[in-house]
Amino acid sequence: MKQIHQGACSVSYKSIDPTTILKMKSDCKSAEGTPYSQHTDKVLGSTVTSKRETRIVLTQDMSALQSVETDETHVMTVNVRPEAASQVHATQQLSLTENTVKVVPIKAEDVQSAVRIVEKNSGQFFVQQSLILERETLSCSDVSCPTLPKMVKENREALDEKYLGTIKSASALVRLLPIAREATYEDFSKVLKSPGNQDIILALCDLAGATQTLAAHEAFKKAVFLDGKGSLDAAERYLWALSAGAQPKQEILTDILKLSESFYEEEKLSETLLLSVGAVANHYIRLPNSNPRLGSDVVKSLSNGLSRCESSDEICQLRYLRAFRNLVSPDSVPLLLRHAVNGTRKVTVAAMKALVALPKKVWDEKVFQACEKIFLQLGRRYDSSARTLALDVILEGESSSDLLEEIVLYLRKPDPAYEVKQYLLQRLRQISSKNKEFESKVHKIFAREGSRLFNYHALGQRGLTTAFTRSFLKSPSANGSLVSIQEISGGLLKRGIVDVSVESVGESSSIFTLGLFAGGLSSFVSSDSESAGGLSSEASEDATAGMEISLLGAQIRPFVFFNGQGELMGHVWSGTASTRTPAFQALSLLHDHRELLPLQTGFIADITLLGGMSFELAGEVQLSLWSRNAHSLVEKNAGLSLTGLTRVDSTFVKSQVEFNLATEPRLNLVSNLDFYSGMALCMQLKQPDTVLKHNVYKVERIPGSKHRLRKSKYQVFRIPGRTYALNHKNNEMCNVIFKDQQ
């Protein structure tokens, strides 16, 4: 590595001919203190490729430099869409015009001694300066300087709640974020406390959380409070936004960790703090210069909190297990295994969910043994959801061939919870469709067993449980998948997952996951729980239902619709959510990249990539006990805005290129249930038409003059909608329910 004006670079030289040398620089690291941030998730990140070359030509007698030409190119591309990119190309040329100057060589022991000799001979004094480029301080008048209060005022309409789930809302977040990160504590306090901003206070909480600066955090604590004395909605919106950020500060993590260890009467705030600690710590420990001790402190704090929970206090245990799920720490494996194997029904399920969230590389033999015990119910009965989660670990991990064979052969064994066997069959097909190595292993087992598996008893399992993967995006650089898992028990949905994930640069990232859970509802549609595929222990549980949401991999506290038949009947008679009702709304930071590149010409290129997501989850449900039918609609609306900016600013010239991607994807889940005569459940997963806009702007101007050049390019891509096929049984039931409309 060689220290030059661009930082520390690896430098190599190549001789082209006797008088020409090619100098190449690579792997340049900017000087300490230079702004640099990269998303911890590569799928949501960007790639900057650089090429720096200098061609040096000597005179024929090699006594002087004839010419020096520098050429460098920097290209920033978005990983999930390389078509969205910007480039900086800088050249510089020096030529020798006259070679008549005669210089008397100075003989000295070192450079410092030579400098002192020159100073003595010339009567001048020289000051040593660093070659590292420093960014110019660009001043602006008080009128033109953008401030946070001024920018919030200009964008307040876009921050209104009615625009959540649209491009307009997401674009406002992207515009405000650079200003918010430069804002002072006083500016943030002014914005949050302003009476005129109280109607958009929740959007401002999202902005403060996405900013991830200490000034924003301290201002939020003073203006809105995080100690339970302020608005719960505002506190949760701030913590949710903070959980999604990829550049958390150590001071902020330390502070919310301390807050999470306190007692709060509001249990929802207590759980949200715990979940936020896990999510923020997960991002923090993946940063290049993170403090490992702080990560260990988080694991210790959550472990101590879990150990203090009473054995009979399920609610307390579930909070901490969900926090471990967000933390995704390999150090938590022994603790999670203990609760998965020995916990109560709900605790076991929560511990298994945390294990499933861990990287596959930490699933060792002990994990597979525990999952085998849970799935096969060795020693005790386990909840069907815990069994299916254990099955996920065995099938998706690198388990032994013997264990995989034992699991596949389970298709031949009797099990009153036949929906679990249907889940096994569905998952074998689902994983085989995307993993050729796994498919080969399964085929070998079937070929070896022959007719013992190739029969209706094994391949024609009862049940309505489904698991499938559908593609909604295919390109050379990225693939988008819609994963749906619907676990049925007693003829009704028990655990449902709809996950939207994107694969790029060899990794997969979950953008949004909607999970639904229910229990104790079989009595409403069937009097025979055993024939419906449920176990008596599950059929006798209290009626309950709720929703779990994960945004950018961070789980939000569950939203419980009702607990007990009393609350359920209250909702039925009052018509709760019979009209469209928002259930979850948030503004979240999606992409986050900032880098300063010193150019050989002496300028500094400022590269920024910011992506915002405006999200709204809304739904409605109608239930008629008289007609014995039900209808529900779940809408997932998102506005995505991605802006990449590369600029070179100085006091005498400003040049920049900007690209913007914007789209509004939608996903609707429609369910119709008829339990008047028999039982029929029809689910329809629909993706409406979508438009993707890709705009590019090139701007050049000279401060103090009228010179201004602007070029624009606009592209629109129309993506047709689709309805995803679930399975043949679902098609049959849809035909039964809608037979009068055919």
Side-chain angles (χ1 to χ4, degrees):
M1 298 294 286
K2 184 177 180 181
Q3 192 73 25
I4 57 177
H5 73 284
Q6 293 171 305
C9 299
S10 296
V11 181
S12 60
Y13 297 87
K14 181 180 180 181
S15 177
I16 305 299
D17 57 49
T19 60
T20 305
I21 300 171
L22 184 64
K23 178 182 179 182
M24 295 166 287
K25 289 177 282 188
S26 60
D27 300 325
C28 290
K29 307 296 182 184
S30 298
E32 186 176 351
T34 303
Y36 177 83
S37 62
Q38 175 66 286
H39 205 291
T40 52
D41 190 334
K42 290 184 179 180
V43 175
L44 298 176
S46 59
T47 301
V48 177
T49 55
S50 300
K51 181 181 179 181
R52 303 176 177 91
E53 292 183 348
T54 302
R55 181 178 290 268
I56 305 170
V57 180
L58 304 175
T59 57
Q60 290 298 322
D61 60 359
M62 297 188 181
S63 62
L65 295 174
Q66 183 65 45
S67 65
V68 178
E69 297 179 7
T70 65
D71 187 285
E72 64 178 316
T73 303
H74 305 278
V75 181
M76 185 267 286
T77 57
V78 181
N79 289 342
V80 294
R81 189 174 177 83
E83 298 91 336
S86 60
Q87 174 180 298
V88 177
H89 184 210
T91 60
Q92 187 177 35
Q93 184 173 356
L94 301 175
S95 299
L96 180 64
T97 58
E98 188 176 358
N99 190 19
T100 59
V101 179
K102 299 296 182 180
V103 180
V104 179
I106 297 175
K107 296 181 180 181
E109 295 181 355
D110 50 39
V111 175
Q112 288 76 15
S113 300
V115 170
R116 286 194 292 269
I117 294 174
V118 174
E119 288 178 337
K120 182 178 180 181
N121 295 338
S122 63
Q124 297 175 322
F125 179 72
F126 297 99
V127 178
Q128 184 176 355
Q129 292 184 333
S130 172
L131 288 175
I132 303 299
L133 289 179
E134 295 181 0
R135 194 180 182 194
E136 290 185 69
T137 302
L138 303 176
S139 59
C140 58
S141 64
D142 293 338
V143 178
S144 62
C145 280
T147 63
L148 185 60
K150 185 186 300 183
M151 291 295 292
V152 168
K153 184 178 180 180
E154 293 177 3
N155 291 273
R156 64 175 299 104
E157 181 186 1
L159 295 175
D160 193 277
E161 181 180 328
K162 65 182 179 182
Y163 291 112
L164 283 168
T166 67
I167 294 174
K168 188 172 185 177
S169 178
S171 298
L173 175 66
V174 173
R175 285 193 299 270
L176 288 168
L177 201 55
I179 307 300
R181 286 182 166 170
E182 299 294 331
T184 62
Y185 168 84
E186 290 74 19
D187 281 343
F188 252 110
S189 295
K190 182 178 180 181
V191 166
L192 293 171
K193 292 180 179 179
S194 172
N197 290 336
Q198 295 312 301
D199 56 334
I200 58 169
I201 188 63
L202 295 182
L204 294 177
C205 294
D206 292 333
L207 174 64
T211 301
Q212 303 172 89
T213 62
L214 199 56
H217 181 69
E218 293 298 331
F220 182 86
K221 286 175 59 180
K222 292 289 185 180
V224 187
F225 304 109
L226 274 176
D227 55 4
K229 298 179 181 179
S231 165
L232 173 64
D233 290 340
E236 287 195 315
R237 286 283 287 265
Y238 172 76
L239 292 170
W240 292 341
L242 194 65
S243 300
Q247 304 294 329
K249 298 291 187 294
Q250 178 175 330
E251 297 84 355
I252 296 178
L253 175 56
T254 302
D255 189 44
I256 63 172
L257 175 61
K258 183 179 179 181
L259 289 170
S260 71
E261 294 172 343
S262 302
F263 172 77
Y264 301 95
E265 292 184 2
E266 179 54 74
E267 294 182 353
K268 294 179 180 178
L269 176 61
S270 178
E271 180 166 1
T272 299
L273 275 168
L274 286 172
L275 294 175
S276 299
V277 166
V280 173
N282 178 28
H283 286 294
Y284 173 76
I285 58 181
R286 289 188 285 167
L287 293 176
N289 300 318
S290 62
N291 182 0
R293 179 175 295 181
L294 182 54
S296 300
D297 290 343
V298 172
V299 175
K300 183 179 179 181
S301 175
L302 295 180
S303 300
N304 291 339
L306 181 58
S307 64
R308 287 194 297 268
C309 295
E310 298 288 341
S311 58
S312 59
D313 190 352
E314 278 189 341
I315 295 178
C316 177
Q317 296 179 61
L318 293 176
R319 283 187 202 145
Y320 284 96
L321 289 172
R322 284 192 279 261
F324 274 113
R325 180 183 178 184
N326 277 355
L327 181 60
V328 194
S329 171
D331 296 335
S332 64
V333 171
L335 179 147
L336 295 176
L337 286 178
R338 188 166 62 251
H339 284 81
V341 174
N342 303 318
T344 62
R345 186 175 58 82
K346 290 184 178 180
V347 169
T348 297
V349 173
M352 282 306 309
K353 287 180 178 179
L355 281 169
V356 170
L358 291 171
K360 296 178 183 179
K361 62 183 179 181
V362 305
W363 293 345
D364 56 15
E365 192 60 32
K366 291 183 179 179
V367 174
F368 291 129
Q369 289 175 359
C371 290
E372 179 185 12
K373 182 177 182 179
I374 293 171
F375 177 73
L376 298 177
Q377 302 191 100
L378 303 178
R380 55 167 281 198
R381 286 188 178 275
Y382 288 93
D383 183 87
S384 62
S385 293
R387 296 178 65 194
T388 54
L389 288 165
L391 183 61
D392 289 340
V393 174
I394 295 173
L395 297 182
E396 294 187 6
E398 296 181 0
S399 57
S400 65
S401 299
D402 292 340
L403 178 56
L404 179 60
E405 182 174 357
E406 182 180 14
I407 296 301
V408 173
L409 291 177
Y410 192 79
L411 290 170
R412 300 188 296 109
K413 297 181 179 180
D415 191 335
Y418 55 78
E419 292 286 0
V420 174
K421 294 174 64 178
Q422 177 65 262
Y423 183 86
L424 167 59
L425 185 61
Q426 293 280 331
R427 289 291 280 153
L428 288 174
R429 291 170 176 167
Q430 182 187 29
I431 299 174
S432 295
S433 66
K434 62 179 182 180
N435 188 329
K436 296 302 179 183
E437 183 180 353
F438 179 85
E439 182 184 31
S440 176
K441 291 180 180 179
V442 173
H443 280 177
K444 288 180 180 178
I445 296 173
F446 271 82
R448 190 162 53 247
E449 295 297 324
S451 60
R452 292 202 298 169
L453 281 177
F454 281 111
N455 57 63
Y456 183 80
H457 179 68
L459 299 180
Q461 298 292 335
R462 297 175 59 191
L464 303 175
T465 296
T466 61
F468 64 85
T469 301
R470 300 289 185 265
S471 174
F472 67 86
L473 169 66
K474 283 187 177 181
S475 70
S477 58
N479 293 318
S481 299
L482 181 71
V483 179
S484 176
I485 296 175
Q486 309 297 326
E487 180 191 343
I488 307 298
S489 179
L492 291 176
L493 179 70
K494 181 180 181 183
R495 180 175 68 96
I497 295 175
V498 177
D499 177 69
V500 179
S501 60
V502 177
E503 297 178 7
S504 181
V505 293
E507 294 188 7
S508 178
S509 177
S510 174
I511 305 300
F512 175 78
T513 303
L514 171 64
L516 298 174
F517 60 89
L521 301 178
S522 299
S523 60
F524 285 87
V525 296
S526 173
S527 59
D528 186 358
S529 63
E530 191 72 21
S531 65
L535 296 174
S536 58
S537 61
E538 297 179 15
S540 61
E541 67 177 303
D542 291 336
T544 184
M547 174 176 65
E548 291 182 330
I549 294 174
S550 292
L551 190 63
L552 300 178
Q555 183 185 357
I556 310 300
R557 68 166 177 82
F559 297 91
V560 179
F561 301 150
F562 56 84
N563 257 323
Q565 293 191 7
E567 287 188 19
L568 171 59
M569 296 309 297
H571 289 311
V572 171
W573 296 121
S574 63
T576 303
S578 58
T579 58
R580 188 180 186 277
T581 305
F584 176 76
Q585 297 174 320
L587 282 169
S588 183
L589 184 60
L590 199 59
H591 296 80
D592 190 5
H593 181 106
R594 173 80 188 284
E595 187 171 351
L596 295 184
L597 289 175
L599 305 179
Q600 296 182 120
T601 55
F603 296 105
I604 293 180
D606 189 347
I607 297 177
T608 304
L609 178 69
L610 289 174
M613 176 169 64
S614 176
F615 186 82
E616 181 188 46
L617 176 69
E620 61 181 71
V621 59
Q622 291 96 32
L623 173 65
S624 173
L625 294 180
W626 179 262
S627 302
R628 296 181 69 82
N629 59 34
H631 167 81
S632 69
L633 169 64
V634 178
E635 295 180 352
K636 291 172 279 294
N637 304 324
L640 305 178
S641 179
L642 174 66
T643 297
L645 177 64
T646 300
R647 63 183 181 183
V648 177
D649 285 354
S650 69
T651 54
F652 62 91
V653 65
K654 296 180 182 294
S655 179
Q656 70 178 46
V657 60
E658 176 184 343
F659 63 82
N660 178 262
L661 292 173
T663 185
E664 291 181 355
R666 302 280 188 267
L667 190 65
N668 299 331
L669 177 61
V670 182
S671 300
N672 288 279
L673 175 65
D674 188 335
F675 49 97
Y676 187 81
S677 57
M679 206 277 296
L681 172 64
C682 171
M683 293 187 293
Q684 298 168 300
L685 196 58
K686 302 178 181 180
Q687 178 184 331
D689 295 344
T690 309
V691 174
L692 173 65
K693 299 177 182 179
H694 184 180
N695 302 331
V696 182
Y697 312 98
K698 176 71 168 65
V699 180
E700 290 182 358
R701 63 188 181 91
I702 299 176
S705 73
K706 295 182 179 180
H707 175 77
R708 182 180 176 88
L709 175 66
R710 178 184 172 91
K711 296 181 179 179
S712 304
K713 181 180 179 181
Y714 304 95
Q715 290 179 293
V716 176
F717 303 92
R718 302 190 182 279
I719 305 170
R722 65 184 72 179
T723 297
Y724 294 96
L726 302 185
N727 56 37
H728 183 68
K729 185 65 175 179
N730 185 74
N731 294 344
E732 290 180 350
M733 290 194 290
C734 288
N735 290 333
V736 171
I737 291 178
F738 298 108
K739 60 184 178 181
D740 296 334
Q741 301 179 15
Q742 297 178 357

